Amino acid sequence: MKLIITSDYEEMSQISAQLVLSKMYSDKRVNLSLTAGSTPARMYEILKDFMADRPYFDNVHFYNFDEISIEGEQYGLTMRSLNEQFYHPCTIKKENIHELNPTNYENYDQKITDDGGLDLILVGIGADGHFCGNLPEYTKFENETYTVMMEEGDKNFKLLHELIGKKPEGATVTFGPRTVLSAKQVVLFANGEHKADIIQKALEGPVTTDVPSSVLKLHPNLVVVLDKEAASKLSK
Amino acid sequence: MKLIITSDYEEMSQISAQLVLSKMYSDKRVNLSLTAGSTPARMYEILKDFMADRPYFDNVHFYNFDEISIEGEQYGLTMRSLNEQFYHPCTIKKENIHELNPTNYENYDQKITDDGGLDLILVGIGADGHFCGNLPEYTKFENETYTVMMEEGDKNFKLLHELIGKKPEGATVTFGPRTVLSAKQVVLFANGEHKADIIQKALEGPVTTDVPSSVLKLHPNLVVVLDKEAASKLSK
Amino acid sequence: MKLIITSDYEEMSQISAQLVLSKMYSDKRVNLSLTAGSTPARMYEILKDFMADRPYFDNVHFYNFDEISIEGEQYGLTMRSLNEQFYHPCTIKKENIHELNPTNYENYDQKITDDGGLDLILVGIGADGHFCGNLPEYTKFENETYTVMMEEGDKNFKLLHELIGKKPEGATVTFGPRTVLSAKQVVLFANGEHKADIIQKALEGPVTTDVPSSVLKLHPNLVVVLDKEAASKLSK
Amino acid sequence: MKLIITSDYEEMSQISAQLVLSKMYSDKRVNLSLTAGSTPARMYEILKDFMADRPYFDNVHFYNFDEISIEGEQYGLTMRSLNEQFYHPCTIKKENIHELNPTNYENYDQKITDDGGLDLILVGIGADGHFCGNLPEYTKFENETYTVMMEEGDKNFKLLHELIGKKPEGATVTFGPRTVLSAKQVVLFANGEHKADIIQKALEGPVTTDVPSSVLKLHPNLVVVLDKEAASKLSK
């Protein structure tokens, strides 16, 4: 594990962008999987500066790592987010985008290995320790891509139900821990004081499904990029 | 995970030897960690045919992955075993052998990363699911190289006590799961019917410290080489 | 460059087989390019022992590196040879074989990079220093896959004309030096006294198009496997 | 070869910095070789922003790739330049800097392979096509690190003689083409209209010692980063 503690969100975003971009400067096929959400917001702005309207990124393919499909909508939450934050601003060609959704998740791991494997996956961490869609209550480390099984009494059920207009079960798919850890490089990034506790647990605590991202530290080529607030509870 | 089911022990040994030898045919420094014991016995004979008295292996370094030191002896059980099975017959130079022992284990992970990391580690599996010195009762997945803490009531205490002529605590050191998983490639091999149950649990069951080797399947570059008896309980 | 001097043709073949096989033991897509001819004859027998009827090589793809097409025949000389020596005995699936021929050579380099690049290419050396179809009179180091332009007065013209039943121009296609050198690993093998002179020139002499294979020593990951006769003129 | 044509010197410098920095974010030993001179001036400013006073780069080692030693001075021209531009501003530790000079050049290639090989080398190109100290009149592609043999009538002799206060022969050492090409990744960068002609020759012309950098395009993992002026004479 390489731990990089930066001075602020800007530096965290710059370094994350360097890691992602440097993989793309290859003539051979490159397969990447990048997170949506608030943590990468600034990173995607930087990527735009180096990717938009460039003719030399046809070799780079993108694999979505989770999805929450919405009733009556073509795209789920993740695809919608990535389209807005990344695929459209960075002018990624449609044929280089590999959507994950409830109809194709069962063959998705096989598809990735057939395509040569992921060169890099960039993930964030939730305050509850989740990464991708691997939530504390539902995570099995041995899982490949799966649909998250929620029951009506579950904590996230009602929340998601309202959000997506249908029962979440079957609507939510995600790379399992094993899919994520099968990438050649894993980058975990986080910023802000509200991530300090979970970062401490994930990086310095036991490997446990109670903190799903605690398993990431077992990857042979993990880079962790934090701002100093997110790193503030680390002992060393 | 690449699963290779061979017809017999001979083929399992040949393929394991191919994996190990192919790493060595490089002009650059190569770092390997190979298990001692009965499983690799035939593999070491094959290695001898391709390594003994060859002038072109000065670039290859070997890192012992566990040790049980014995009272009044220069070498512990692992070093003694590897000397007999491998280092002497294959004419490995002393300066290319990196012994692990109770006096140097604390800095061993740092030493490996300073040396460029392990290119390959070859491990066996015990009937109880252990790999290296990671026993079911004592394993924490987050551990790097550590000394196994045994107490007098423990199952293995008496056994080891008699074997090594002193209290095992402090005498037993091992790569932790995290050290093993930090290698660029992991090879797990096993043969025989008596390994069929544990292989099924390790490869198809949950990732759990009750079966320490169950964690190996999270490595992005794992090759499992089995004879058909060891594979006989696998569902697919 | 890693130079391995073996005691005989058998050992040369075994080590070549180890290098080739070890690449295949991956769960991810692997792309290989292997030579036909007499040098690999024994190696292909060894490959057969480890490949025929194995269910776990669907991830491995093969790219032919040259071709001499024959009038009125479906397959050219190389494809015919590889079918006999390798593809049929080793039960390679049709969809994993990527034929090169005069109709597709222009897009072949792009196809390879789109597929992720070659993981290994295994080449022999002619007594005149050629590798693949790169002959002393026709080689440009900067060439990617090309058709060898022969004129009626040329040394090989008449020979090939009789062999293939038509004018060789346009019938002969080959990876150029640049295609070969774009592989992640290059293995060059040779055996026999009749190769000793050219091996000395290729490995110890200047990089020159007069000895096309002299350029191979510029590759960052070249392994040369020789029997002791082929190595007998080397100075060190 | 990956060709990246940027809009200006700033973007060329940013992308070069991304490539170099991304290699450093590893916990394992990393070996780099970076050019001195005017082309990297802005890149080194960017590196400073991400490297100065950072505690997490102890794993990164730097290997100077040429030297012109000066009479009566401790450091030659290259070491002096790198100290000013890079090593001092980026607070590189002395033990991580591997000086090349006339007293150690003969064992330098061996030292690099013993240390695990170069992960990346960044080179510029002279208007005459030279890279490192490989000048058109003196280059042999098969050379590893060597001392450039100049005679009194030579073009550069008088120039260097005045500059360094002694006869240049024996004072000038450089990585040969083979040393450069043995790196795992090669990055070539150039900016400005005055480089347009030589860039066209090096990238699109024949591989010839008249244009030493023409050989770089044979590397399997070459990235070329140009501003649009330097790229203006390219045909595609």
Side-chain angles (χ1 to χ4, degrees), chain A residues 1-5 11 14-15 18-19 21-22 24-28 49-50 54 56-57 59 185 220 223, chain D residues 1-5 11 14-15 18-19 21-22 24-28 49-50 54 56-57 59 185 220 223:
Chain A
M1 183 176 95
K2 180 70 168 190
L3 177 60
I4 300 171
I5 301 176
E11 191 184 359
Q14 292 282 353
I15 291 178
Q18 290 161 8
L19 283 159
L21 285 164
S22 63
M24 302 188 194
Y25 303 130
S26 165
D27 58 346
K28 304 191 176 77
D49 291 341
F50 291 96
R54 299 310 194 276
Y56 46 77
F57 286 128
N59 61 308
Q185 184 168 45
V223 186
Chain D
M1 183 177 96
K2 178 72 167 188
L3 177 61
I4 300 171
I5 301 176
E11 192 184 358
Q14 292 282 353
I15 291 178
Q18 290 161 11
L19 283 159
L21 285 164
S22 63
M24 302 188 195
Y25 302 131
S26 165
D27 57 347
K28 303 190 177 77
D49 290 342
F50 291 96
R54 299 309 193 276
Y56 47 76
F57 286 128
N59 61 307
Q185 183 167 46
V223 185

Side-chain angles (χ1 to χ4, degrees), chain D residues 5 9 11 16-17 33-34 36 50 97 115 128 138 140 152 189-190 219 225-227 236:
Chain D
I5 301 176
Y9 178 64
E11 192 184 358
S16 302
S33 191
L34 307 181
F50 291 96
I97 300 170
D115 290 351
D128 61 352
Y138 307 97
K140 295 172 179 177
E152 295 223 17
F189 63 173
H219 193 276
V225 192
L226 307 174
D227 72 353
K236 13 181 179 183

Side-chain angles (χ1 to χ4, degrees), chain B residues 163-176:
Chain B
L163 190 68
I164 65 178
K166 62 175 171 182
K167 296 197 178 174
E169 164 144 0
T172 304
V173 291
T174 182
F175 280 13

Side-chain angles (χ1 to χ4, degrees), chain C residues 29 61 92-98:
Chain C
R29 184 187 179 112
H61 290 252
I92 311 294
K93 287 184 182 164
K94 221 170 169 173
E95 60 264 36
N96 289 30
I97 299 170
H98 302 270

Side-chain angles (χ1 to χ4, degrees), chain B residues 114-135:
Chain B
D114 289 349
D115 290 351
L118 291 174
D119 294 284
L120 180 148
I121 183 166
L122 171 70
V123 297
I125 183 171
D128 60 353
H130 84 261
F131 68 104
C132 307
N134 298 291
L135 306 168

Side-chain angles (χ1 to χ4, degrees), chain C residues 135-148:
Chain C
L135 306 169
E137 304 96 65
Y138 307 96
T139 296
K140 296 173 180 175
F141 289 148
E142 60 275 16
N143 268 357
E144 299 195 324
T145 304
Y146 65 105
T147 179
V148 185

